[in-house]
Amino acid sequence: MAARHEYLCQGGDGHLCNDSGHCREIEEEIVNSIKDEELKKQYVTARIEMFKAVIELNVGSPKLMMFQKTLEYLKGVL
């Protein structure tokens, strides 16, 4: 699922993650596709930790807002 996100975020659907909402939209689509609630919880928990690390390591990145919006969405899922 995480690999699917990266594929789509890097242009696999023809749209690169250049606007601050696209990453969050992809993540929401993937989360909503997970029917097993335990698997969904595990996935979201892992992605929260990943986005926290990405934000911490990329403080000056022009994509910081995108990462933060995605993290906030994921926190709201749990």
Side-chain angles (χ1 to χ4, degrees):
M1 290 173 283
R4 174 98 177 125
H5 176 106
E6 297 309 318
Y7 170 77
L8 293 172
C9 212
Q10 297 304 315
D13 64 349
H15 301 91
L16 289 174
C17 270
N18 288 327
D19 74 63
S20 63
H22 192 239
C23 183
R24 189 202 66 75
E25 291 167 7
I26 291 170
E27 199 65 36
E28 184 175 2
E29 180 181 315
I30 291 170
V31 168
N32 288 338
S33 74
I34 304 170
K35 303 303 179 210
D36 181 286
E37 289 302 316
E38 184 58 34
L39 179 60
K40 184 182 291 190
K41 182 179 177 184
Q42 291 173 3
Y43 174 79
V44 169
T45 300
R47 295 296 280 180
I48 287 171
E49 292 307 311
M50 190 271 313
F51 274 101
K52 284 180 180 178
V54 167
I55 289 167
E56 185 177 309
L57 294 170
N58 293 283
V59 174
S61 171
K63 294 189 176 190
L64 187 61
M65 180 64 74
M66 179 180 69
F67 300 146
Q68 290 171 329
K69 282 185 176 184
T70 306
L71 177 61
E72 291 308 311
Y73 161 73
L74 289 166
K75 286 179 176 180
V77 172
L78 294 181

